Amino acid sequence: MSMLEHLLTVAPRPVKSVGRLHLKTRQLALLVHLDQERNLMRAAAAAGLTQPAASKLLGQVESALEVQLFERHARGMTPTVYGEILIRRARLALSELSRAHDEITALRSGLAGKTAIGTVLNPGTNLVPQAVVRMKQRYPGIHVSIEIDPSRDLVQRLLQGSLDMVVGRVLDSIRTDELVYRPLADDEPHMIIARAQHPLAARQEPRLEDLIEQPWILPPAGSLVREKLTALFVQHGLPPPTNIVETLSLPVITALLEHSNMLVALPEQAVQSGVKAGTLKVLVRNLPLGVGAFGLITRRHHQLSAGAQLMLETLEDLAEEMYLTESCRADCEPMLTQ
């Protein structure tokens, strides 16, 4: 009769309440070695213990649980159903401790303290830099690289393995089953921004017809903001701007704005310092582009390095402080975008 059949046939006995069990690492290791060796002498040797010490440790665990963990017989030892439960948990605990040790060692040595982030422009000017500063204050040895580009390009590089994570949007249905999306912020309101001395700066509400004749700074073709802005002009019966400069570099954008009559569509946060300083001015607020929410994108079933995992957690924590709204708070579990 098996142990399980025996347990099912015997009358249940009163169960004495047992306090929280505190097992030492060497006790966990001994249980695993006993399962592997099925012999007390060999298990003790594998655990670096004498046979009497191993027997004492096993007896302490069985006494604390008030169950028999191993059946002793002439050919060795076999775990009981109770033993199988504890051995399974002991393996998991030792595995997690080993991974924690490896990650700490890697962080201290700098071997795994690396992470590569891709981000779209606006979070690349506030969320991502602030998260990097916060993490580097705690873990100065982690090397961080940051790339700013449209979401489509960044997601492609993520799928190719050159980026650990992307702060952006999942815009295409291709290979979305390979991605995990965690929402960070709602739709980004875009503004039309120019230098404070722009000829249209004195007008209270410039018309689109007035704006179309101006020189523009636009993101590269294929980016979401470029597509949405073009659609906005087309919906009003206007052609898209033709006098343009393409760039995603914020220093270049700021310099072009300050030294010319160019316009740009950006979230105000991206150039907030210039607006506060009075060198830049918002011409049109709440431009109806509807670029949608952005989030944190990673590869499904991909184990991040220790440094990358710390960066991901820091981004999530900071985004919750900066962006989290009531609508997002109701559903912030990892999900795929539609």
Side-chain angles (χ1 to χ4, degrees):
M1 179 183 295
S2 70
M3 175 60 70
L4 181 57
E5 291 171 331
H6 173 71
L7 290 172
L8 293 175
T9 55
V10 298
R13 60 177 179 174
V15 178
K16 180 182 177 181
S17 176
V18 178
R20 183 177 296 274
L21 181 64
H22 297 282
L23 296 182
K24 298 177 181 179
T25 304
R26 61 179 179 173
Q27 291 173 317
L28 298 176
L30 175 62
L31 292 172
V32 173
H33 287 305
L34 281 169
D35 184 49
Q36 293 170 338
E37 302 294 341
R38 303 298 172 99
N39 178 279
L40 184 60
M41 183 182 297
R42 292 197 300 269
L49 300 168
T50 63
Q51 185 171 336
S55 180
K56 181 179 179 180
L57 285 178
L58 177 59
Q60 289 172 345
V61 178
E62 290 182 323
S63 176
L65 290 171
E66 295 187 340
V67 294
Q68 183 180 349
L69 298 176
F70 288 86
E71 288 185 328
R72 284 79 164 171
H73 47 74
R75 292 171 297 176
M77 307 172 68
T78 56
T80 64
V81 289
Y82 303 118
E84 289 174 352
I85 292 171
L86 193 55
I87 289 165
R88 183 173 72 252
R89 299 295 181 179
R91 289 185 188 278
L92 290 172
L94 291 172
S95 175
E96 287 300 311
L97 286 172
S98 177
R99 289 184 60 185
H101 176 269
D102 291 344
E103 289 185 12
I104 291 171
T105 301
L107 283 174
R108 292 182 64 184
S109 64
L111 295 177
K114 297 181 180 180
T115 183
I117 311 165
T119 177
V120 293
L121 184 58
N122 185 39
T125 65
N126 47 70
L127 170 65
V128 173
Q130 290 183 46
V132 170
V133 169
R134 177 178 292 189
M135 188 188 69
K136 293 282 280 183
Q137 288 172 343
R138 298 182 62 193
Y139 305 101
I142 296 179
H143 174 80
V144 182
S145 63
I146 304 171
E147 297 182 22
I148 296 181
D149 260 322
S151 291
R152 287 191 179 92
D153 296 339
L154 294 172
V155 170
Q156 284 300 315
R157 293 204 284 277
L158 175 69
L159 290 169
Q160 293 164 3
S162 59
L163 294 174
D164 293 312
M165 64 200 73
V166 167
V167 181
R169 303 170 180 86
V170 180
L171 303 175
D172 302 311
S173 59
I174 300 174
R175 299 178 69 180
T176 51
D177 59 324
E178 300 178 41
L179 303 172
V180 174
Y181 177 87
R182 299 167 176 83
L184 295 180
D186 290 339
D187 188 22
E188 297 176 280
H190 277 60
M191 323 289 181
I192 295 180
I193 299 166
R195 68 186 180 115
Q197 295 79 25
H198 194 282
L200 297 177
R203 297 193 186 182
Q204 190 168 2
E205 291 186 6
R207 301 173 304 167
L208 281 179
E209 290 84 349
D210 301 323
L211 302 176
I212 198 66
E213 300 298 331
Q214 303 297 317
W216 278 80
I217 305 167
L218 296 177
S223 67
L224 181 62
V225 172
R226 177 78 168 264
E227 292 177 353
K228 293 286 188 178
L229 191 61
T230 298
L232 179 65
F233 282 114
V234 171
Q235 289 165 8
H236 286 78
L238 299 169
T242 55
N243 183 1
I244 64 173
V245 173
E246 292 185 356
T247 183
L248 279 174
S249 170
L250 192 59
V252 173
I253 291 172
T254 303
L256 288 171
L257 289 175
E258 291 177 347
H259 295 92
S260 73
N261 287 330
M262 291 186 178
L263 307 178
V264 69
L266 285 175
E268 186 177 350
Q269 285 182 330
V271 289
Q272 195 170 43
S273 59
V275 174
K276 286 184 176 180
T279 58
L280 300 178
K281 182 177 177 63
V282 176
L283 300 186
V284 179
R285 292 190 176 274
N286 299 320
L287 199 64
L289 293 186
V291 295
F294 66 82
L296 191 56
I297 309 167
T298 54
R299 284 178 287 163
R300 191 179 297 277
H301 307 308
H302 173 69
Q303 181 67 47
L304 293 173
S305 69
Q309 183 62 38
L310 286 170
M311 187 73 255
L312 183 145
E313 293 169 1
T314 305
L315 281 165
E316 288 183 316
D317 291 344
L318 186 59
E320 185 171 350
E321 298 171 18
M322 293 177 62
Y323 300 124
L324 195 60
T325 62
E326 291 302 322
S327 59
C328 177
R329 189 174 285 116
D331 183 15
C332 280
E333 292 299 316
M335 57 178 285
L336 286 175
T337 55
Q338 296 179 349

